[in-house]
């Protein structure tokens, strides 16, 4: 199975990821809540294992956001918050299972395997839409108002990140990490340059502007408000 582990404690995540790998699974690890939500929406996973207390965005908000976005991937909360009310809150937020730390890895593995055997609730979205702009993730094709837009691979990924974050401000740092895999500021105008090229293709030939610059913060893609 493909498993997404959203856990900010590196010792715990290393231990779990190693165990999943030894059991024959592929495990991606993310330590930040916002990045975890993005990853869960971007890629198709069989099971998501998520801590409740995370930097950026807590586990409950992650699962609620996924369910609101119609992402039905099974989610297991793995957390030290273990009261009855806490477990109920996690399940009502859209979680499928709840395991309290400290835990036995054999039990975690058994629960993840059980969740993985469940049929998917709903398929992942393969076409993103914002107003009259569409991005087909399978065909790797962009269209606006029915007109095909030719994009370079990096431009396609950049547009995908912006569309998945529809209505939210995506900072330059987030774009550097998600589009270029830079975890530092390269001190170049690579983001600004690609945004300008993208805007020339998806906005300028059309009457309505979708890609907006948020001064001193980043960018946001959304329909007129």
């Amino acid at each position: 199975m493909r498993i997404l582990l959203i856990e900010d404690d590196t010792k715990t995540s290393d231990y779990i990821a190693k165990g999943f790998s030894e059991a024959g699974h592929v495990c991606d690890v993310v330590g930040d809540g916002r990045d975890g939500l993005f990853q869960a929406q971007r890629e198709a996973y069989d099971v998501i294992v998520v801590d409740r207390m995370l930097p950026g965005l807590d586990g409950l908000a992650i699962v609620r956001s996924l369910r609101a976005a119609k992402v039905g991937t099974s989610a297991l909360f793995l957390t030290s918050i273990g009261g009855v009310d806490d477990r109920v809150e996690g399940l009502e937020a859209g979680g499928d299972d709840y395991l309290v730390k400290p835990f036995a890895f054999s039990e975690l593995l058994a629960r993840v395997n059980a969740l993985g055997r469940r049929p998917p609730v709903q398929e992942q979205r393969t076409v993103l839409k914002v107003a009259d702009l569409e991005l087909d993730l399978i065909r790797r094709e962009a269209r606006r108002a029915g007109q095909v837009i030719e994009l370079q691979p990096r431009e396609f990924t950049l547009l995908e990140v912006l569309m998945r974050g529809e209505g939210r401000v995506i900072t330059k740092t987030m774009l550097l990490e998600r589009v270029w895999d830079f975890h530092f500021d390269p001190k170049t105008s690579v983001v600004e340059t690609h945004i300008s090229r993208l805007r020339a293709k998806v906005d300028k030939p059309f009457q309505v502007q979708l890609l907006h610059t948020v001064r001193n913060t980043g960018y946001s893609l959304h329909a007129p408000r």
Side-chain angles (χ1 to χ4, degrees):
M1 292 186 295
R2 286 198 69 195
I3 302 169
L4 175 62
L5 173 62
I6 310 175
E7 167 65 64
D8 63 323
D9 184 270
T10 54
K11 288 185 178 180
T12 300
S13 62
D14 289 347
Y15 170 70
I16 294 174
K18 182 175 183 291
F20 283 150
S21 178
E22 291 175 346
H25 302 308
V26 175
C27 181
D28 293 337
V29 180
V30 178
D32 177 85
R34 294 190 184 279
D35 290 341
L37 175 59
F38 172 80
Q39 185 72 10
Q41 292 177 312
R42 180 178 182 179
E43 303 289 343
Y45 290 97
D46 299 290
V47 178
I48 299 169
V49 178
V50 56
D51 192 3
R52 281 191 55 168
M53 304 297 291
L54 293 163
L57 193 68
D58 67 85
L60 285 178
I62 291 173
V63 174
R64 287 195 183 107
S65 297
L66 290 175
R67 300 306 182 236
K70 308 301 181 184
V71 177
T73 309
S74 296
L76 181 148
F77 284 104
L78 181 65
T79 174
S80 57
I81 304 175
V84 173
D85 290 342
D86 298 311
R87 295 197 298 271
V88 170
E89 187 177 24
L91 296 173
E92 289 185 342
D96 299 277
D97 203 351
Y98 202 105
L99 184 59
V100 179
K101 300 175 182 177
F103 61 94
F105 179 77
S106 58
E107 181 180 4
L108 172 61
L109 181 60
R111 289 175 181 244
V112 166
N113 285 338
L115 291 176
R117 288 193 294 268
R118 294 184 182 180
V121 176
Q122 188 165 344
E123 295 182 355
Q124 297 278 343
R125 290 184 299 166
T126 59
V127 178
L128 305 178
K129 295 182 180 181
V130 176
D132 59 351
L133 177 63
E134 296 186 3
L135 196 66
D136 191 317
L137 304 179
I138 302 299
R139 295 181 179 179
R140 307 294 291 178
E141 182 179 83
R143 289 177 178 269
R144 182 158 185 197
Q147 179 179 328
V148 175
I149 301 172
E150 297 294 336
L151 297 177
Q152 296 297 318
R154 194 77 72 176
E155 294 169 346
F156 188 96
T157 303
L158 177 59
L159 182 57
E160 179 184 350
V161 171
L162 292 167
M163 291 184 73
R164 286 190 182 278
E166 178 186 0
R168 300 194 300 271
V169 177
I170 310 298
T171 66
K172 178 181 176 181
T173 298
M174 294 165 68
L175 291 174
L176 285 170
E177 289 181 352
R178 297 173 183 178
V179 180
W180 285 269
D181 199 27
F182 287 159
H183 296 277
F184 62 94
D185 189 345
K187 305 300 181 182
T188 70
S189 59
V190 62
V191 173
E192 292 82 355
T193 299
H194 279 76
I195 287 288
S196 178
R197 292 175 181 171
L198 189 62
R199 181 175 278 130
K201 294 182 178 183
V202 303
D203 261 352
K204 287 187 177 179
F206 304 92
Q207 292 184 343
V208 178
Q209 180 181 0
L210 298 179
L211 180 53
H212 306 269
T213 299
V214 182
R215 189 175 180 182
N216 298 325
T217 306
Y219 305 92
S220 180
L221 193 145
H222 56 81
R225 296 170 178 171

